[in-house]
Amino acid sequence: MSDSNETSDSAEFRKSLEDIAFNFRSNVDIKDRKYRLKTYKQCFVGSEGVDYLLETGHAQTREDAVMLGRSLAHEFHLFEHVTRDHEFADDYKFYRFVDASERGTLTMDEKIGKYVRWSDFLAPVASGEALQPAFAAKSENLELIESKDQHVIGQVWPLDKYNTQLLDNVHPPSWQDPKAHNEKDGTYSYDMVVVGGGTGGLITAAGSAGVGARVAMIEEHMLGGDCLNVGCVPSKALIHSANLAHTLRGDMEHLADAGISLDPSAVKVDFEKAMERVRRIRAGISHHDSAERYSKELGVQIFLGRGKFTSERTVEVNGKTLTFKRAVIATGGYPNLLPIEGLKSLHDKATAIDSGEPRPIVMTNETIFNLTKRPQNMLVIGAGVIGMELAQAMQRLGSKVKVMGRSGRVLPKEDADLAQVVKDQMIKDGVEFRLDVSEYLRIEMTGEVLDNGYPEMKLAVMEKGNDEVVEFKFDALLLAAGRRPNVTGMDLEAAKVDYDVKKGLLVSDKLQTTNPRIFGVGDCCSEFKFTHAADFMARAVIRNALFLGKEKMSNLLIPYATFTSPEIASVGLYESDLKKKGMEFRVFEKHFKDNDRAICDGKTAGMVRFRVDAKSDRILGASIVGEGAGNMISEVTLAMQSDTGMTALAAVIHPYPTTAEAVRQSGDLYSKTRLTTTVKSLLRGIISLQR
């Protein structure tokens, strides 16, 4: 069968489904129904819907009718279970029809019968050319992704098929707000209103709707927040390409030792292709956080706009006032801009559109993924997680990278010797470190333009122990010197919510703000600025806000990882924490140079380190540095979460050979300390008696 026939058959089948859907809604018995003293408004019974599909001949068996009914529910989002707990079934279960506009919806172009997409605003691109379109007449619509807060969120670029797919999902053009619950007076009322559509907001909204709450979610910028758009997802996609390049081009010694010869000059990094892959992966994942999925599939009412509180129980968005019983603020954070002379003007230029193309030369994590051309010399200010991950990735992809900082060390949260393992590898990769900066003086253009089209810049600094000004030239700057909570611009004062511009929302251990109806989740109120932390904070808040729960932030055991090569991951208390608390502890560590699998793989740098209570086998904290540390730390987290001590950990059988054996072997080290002189003598005596 030809493609055209397949398309025709598909269109005919869809038209048939549309007809069935229309008639189904018109012929099932819709009325108020009671179950266990509760009334469900205007719904139909599943078994009666099956009866109708059989009577009309749309299905031949009851099983077929159920499958057809589920197609109507999923394909057209025609109806759903009244509490969204069940699929369509041949049973005495209640289902309600869903009005397409009740939770917000995409705009339909009636002339062509298709939804409006971002690509509709772009000029045509010649076949075969890279999709780097010129702005069309309606290009001003593409600039709406801009925050009205004190910082400017970078625009999405380039507007190719992947980024337009991303925007179609997480900030669709001309999104129509949900309709009012009371059409007579135009009022909106909710059990839960969530301000912010990043990880914390998404989990809160979906979880609350999943237990039957009426939920609205407000997002001004892009659903998915930092993690999807400018954080976890694009950075790990970039790191993947960088590590592949390193294996083929940069790790010749390791390849040669493995008996593989390769001409380094034959390995070429296509930077534009690598960045295109980042955009493709991000776009492919973006459906999970899309406005359409959350509204149609998960039952959340979506408002795309800036939310501002107008009272202790109301928030305004797009000129509409939403009343809530409970609210959650999950607005995340944003990168610091350092007070360096000349920096702000260059940063503004870097995010502005110049001759139809943004030039991301002074970047944060919010704009670095807009790069399409590789910088020759990149300067990274900040030796924390973001700075280290992206510095190593860019170096391995062919840029010459220099990392600058003030503290004299990298990854300051980690144990210094473990962080040094990561630094040593990055130095081997070619990254240069200048970590004793005492003052960043000024940044300016030199007037030169490099072969890649980027203007050359220079940064003047003062370094500790040097009385002379030192200048560094570069064509791209990444600012990774910390983040601030996004808590301004929402009129929190009207809601009687206290906050600090540096610390964020002031919340209790139950994540409750000074307004007991409003809770905080994620980077806007926590020092644990991780996606998985926001996820579990959101789960706690759902219980606390809707079900009078007593979940505490202090009870969450949060592991975290830095995805450099090698990785470094930790959970629980560090040595510095334990000393501050005055807790006595012992350290047990197993080095990968003594691990058979690590030796076989040629990845022997690093170790597993446990910090254990001095008087018991209780694990107080642990760190791992080495390949795959981010995965291995979860076993330790589970042990700590379940109060599994070092003795039991030593008894967990691991496959041989694996690097995770180092976790068990650390338990063995602890067990050996229990063999005191007295115990050894006793054991020898028992053996002697058996001779």
Side-chain angles (χ1 to χ4, degrees):
M1 183 180 289
S2 68
D3 290 343
S4 60
N5 285 337
E6 288 181 13
T7 302
S8 175
D9 290 346
S10 177
E12 186 175 337
F13 176 71
R14 182 173 178 81
K15 181 64 171 64
S16 176
L17 276 180
E18 288 175 350
D19 291 340
I20 294 173
F22 177 80
N23 292 324
F24 185 86
R25 183 165 191 160
S26 303
N27 288 278
V28 293
D29 186 18
I30 303 171
K31 62 183 180 181
D32 294 352
R33 300 173 188 271
K34 286 187 177 181
Y35 182 71
R36 291 183 177 175
L37 303 179
K38 180 166 181 158
T39 299
Y40 296 92
K41 299 285 187 180
Q42 296 298 290
C43 54
F44 69 93
V45 175
S47 57
E48 294 178 2
V50 170
D51 291 340
Y52 167 76
L53 293 174
L54 285 171
E55 291 167 3
T56 55
H58 294 314
Q60 301 304 310
T61 67
R62 300 193 77 82
E63 291 78 9
D64 287 345
V66 169
M67 294 300 295
L68 178 56
R70 291 181 179 179
S71 294
L72 297 176
H74 294 303
E75 181 72 14
F76 297 100
H77 302 286
L78 183 66
F79 57 82
E80 64 185 11
H81 184 257
V82 287
T83 59
R84 297 190 292 277
D85 289 330
H86 303 285
E87 290 255 44
F88 179 66
D90 184 10
D91 201 351
Y92 190 70
K93 290 184 171 64
F94 301 158
Y95 300 87
R96 61 179 289 271
F97 287 99
V98 179
D99 186 331
S101 64
E102 72 178 62
R103 295 174 188 152
T105 186
L106 301 171
T107 299
M108 177 73 74
D109 187 332
E110 301 296 342
K111 294 181 181 179
I112 59 175
K114 293 183 178 180
Y115 290 120
V116 175
R117 300 291 182 184
W118 278 108
S119 55
D120 298 336
F121 300 107
L122 304 180
V125 179
S127 177
E129 293 182 4
L131 194 55
Q132 299 272 353
F135 287 111
K138 295 182 179 179
S139 63
E140 65 272 7
N141 292 309
L142 296 172
E143 298 180 32
L144 65 85
I145 308 299
E146 181 178 314
S147 173
K148 300 176 182 65
D149 203 344
Q150 59 181 273
H151 81 295
V152 177
I153 297 176
Q155 295 168 318
V156 175
W157 183 264
L159 293 170
D160 60 4
K161 60 183 178 182
Y162 302 120
N163 274 342
T164 51
Q165 178 187 350
L166 170 74
L167 289 172
D168 283 340
N169 282 330
V170 300
H171 198 116
S174 306
W175 176 262
Q176 296 180 18
D177 285 341
K179 69 177 184 179
H181 298 132
N182 190 328
E183 295 186 8
K184 293 182 179 179
D185 59 13
T187 57
Y188 295 80
S189 59
Y190 297 93
D191 300 305
M192 174 76 78
V193 168
V194 180
V195 182
T199 299
L202 292 169
I203 298 296
T204 302
S208 298
V211 294
R214 179 181 287 174
V215 182
M217 181 165 59
I218 302 170
E219 171 56 46
E220 179 189 20
H221 187 221
M222 298 167 69
L223 293 167
D226 270 16
C227 184
L228 170 68
N229 299 296
V230 295
C232 313
V233 170
S235 66
K236 302 314 167 282
L238 186 69
I239 287 170
H240 174 76
S241 294
N243 289 346
L244 287 177
H246 171 70
T247 299
L248 293 174
R249 186 187 62 185
D251 203 4
M252 291 300 159
E253 183 180 339
H254 179 59
L255 289 174
D257 183 61
I260 299 170
S261 60
L262 188 67
D263 179 5
S265 64
V267 180
K268 306 291 184 184
V269 173
D270 186 335
F271 186 77
E272 293 187 20
K273 193 72 174 177
M275 296 305 295
E276 181 184 275
R277 178 180 181 274
V278 170
R279 300 192 297 274
R280 172 168 54 83
I281 288 174
R282 179 172 63 180
I285 291 174
S286 65
H287 168 72
H288 300 299
D289 296 345
S290 67
E292 192 167 15
R293 175 174 179 257
Y294 267 75
S295 61
K296 290 185 176 181
E297 296 180 22
L298 301 180
V300 178
Q301 298 195 8
I302 303 293
F303 292 83
L304 296 181
R306 168 165 284 258
K308 290 189 176 185
F309 288 91
T310 51
S311 76
E312 297 173 62
R313 291 195 59 181
T314 56
V315 61
E316 184 180 272
V317 56
N318 301 335
K320 302 173 178 66
T321 296
L322 282 52
T323 301
F324 56 81
K325 294 179 181 177
R326 296 288 185 271
V328 169
I329 300 171
T331 47
Y334 59 90
N336 276 331
L337 287 184
L338 298 177
I340 305 174
E341 181 183 336
L343 176 64
K344 184 149 190 331
S345 62
L346 289 180
H347 175 264
D348 292 344
K349 284 183 180 179
T351 57
I353 294 176
D354 181 12
S355 302
E357 180 179 351
R359 294 184 177 180
I361 52 175
V362 176
M363 301 168 290
T364 66
N365 70 292
E366 293 181 339
T367 49
I368 189 172
F369 302 108
N370 292 348
L371 283 172
T372 55
K373 295 179 181 178
R374 177 174 50 210
Q376 292 181 19
N377 297 290
M378 173 176 277
L379 190 62
V380 176
I381 296 180
V385 173
I386 295 172
M388 293 288 280
E389 286 185 355
L390 294 177
Q392 186 179 50
M394 293 301 294
Q395 178 75 33
R396 290 184 167 189
L397 289 171
S399 296
K400 178 60 182 172
V401 180
K402 185 183 279 87
V403 177
M404 307 188 78
R406 297 175 182 267
S407 68
R409 54 167 298 187
V410 302
L411 300 173
K413 289 184 178 180
E414 305 293 344
D415 290 351
D417 59 333
L418 302 189
Q420 186 66 38
V421 175
V422 176
K423 182 182 176 184
D424 288 345
Q425 177 59 54
M426 290 177 63
I427 291 173
K428 189 176 179 181
D429 291 343
V431 177
E432 182 182 343
F433 289 91
R434 304 295 288 257
L435 301 174
D436 291 316
V437 175
S438 59
E439 186 178 2
Y440 298 100
L441 298 174
R442 60 186 174 276
I443 180 174
E444 58 190 350
M445 299 281 193
T446 67
E448 297 291 326
V449 177
L450 304 183
D451 294 339
N452 58 9
Y454 290 154
E456 186 180 63
M457 295 171 284
K458 64 180 180 181
L459 173 68
V461 305
M462 294 294 294
E463 295 182 303
K464 298 170 186 175
N466 186 357
D467 294 332
E468 296 182 359
V469 174
V470 184
E471 292 186 343
F472 300 95
K473 292 183 178 180
F474 54 94
D475 58 325
L477 171 65
L478 173 64
L479 293 165
R483 296 175 61 80
R484 285 180 177 268
N486 187 20
V487 292
T488 58
M490 292 180 283
D491 293 347
L492 292 175
E493 295 80 2
K496 295 186 178 178
V497 172
D498 291 345
Y499 64 94
D500 180 279
V501 292
K502 292 184 179 180
K503 296 179 181 179
L505 301 176
L506 304 182
V507 296
S508 69
D509 201 16
K510 293 170 63 177
L511 298 170
Q512 201 165 25
T513 70
T514 48
N515 178 338
R517 295 182 179 274
I518 301 177
F519 294 74
V521 161
D523 292 8
C524 65
C525 66
S526 172
E527 61 179 322
F528 296 98
K529 302 185 187 304
F530 313 111
T531 295
H532 49 284
D535 181 333
F536 278 81
M537 290 168 70
R539 296 166 191 255
V541 160
I542 292 171
R543 292 189 282 270
N544 292 346
L546 298 179
F547 302 106
L548 302 177
K550 297 181 180 180
E551 300 291 330
K552 295 181 179 180
M553 177 68 191
S554 57
N555 289 337
L556 297 181
L557 181 63
I558 302 172
Y560 36 95
T562 301
F563 295 98
T564 46
S565 178
E567 296 175 355
I568 185 167
S570 296
V571 64
L573 299 175
Y574 289 102
E575 181 176 333
S576 58
D577 299 319
L578 293 167
K579 288 180 177 178
K580 287 179 182 178
K581 292 176 178 290
M583 299 175 68
E584 295 183 1
F585 64 97
R586 291 183 289 173
V587 173
F588 299 90
E589 57 188 37
K590 193 69 178 178
H591 292 249
F592 289 122
K593 65 182 177 61
D594 301 318
N595 177 273
D596 291 354
R597 179 57 184 271
I599 294 170
C600 291
D601 290 346
K603 302 291 185 182
T604 56
M607 69 188 79
V608 175
R609 174 176 290 165
F610 282 88
R611 293 172 281 273
V612 182
D613 184 89
K615 297 179 181 179
S616 71
D617 70 344
R618 182 185 172 211
I619 303 168
L620 302 175
S623 296
I624 305 174
V625 60
E627 296 300 315
N631 285 325
M632 279 191 281
I633 200 66
S634 294
E635 180 178 5
V636 182
T637 306
L638 177 60
M640 294 179 66
Q641 188 81 41
S642 59
D643 274 336
T644 299
M646 295 293 284
T647 305
L649 203 59
V652 176
I653 301 174
H654 288 65
Y656 174 85
T658 58
T659 52
E661 274 190 296
V663 174
R664 178 192 61 76
Q665 290 165 346
S666 298
D668 286 341
L669 292 176
Y670 171 80
S671 296
K672 288 179 181 179
T673 66
R674 301 174 66 195
L675 292 174
T676 63
T677 302
T678 302
V679 172
K680 288 180 181 179
S681 298
L682 178 61
L683 292 176
R684 290 190 183 112
I686 293 173
I687 292 173
S688 296
L689 289 173
Q690 298 180 50
R691 288 175 182 164

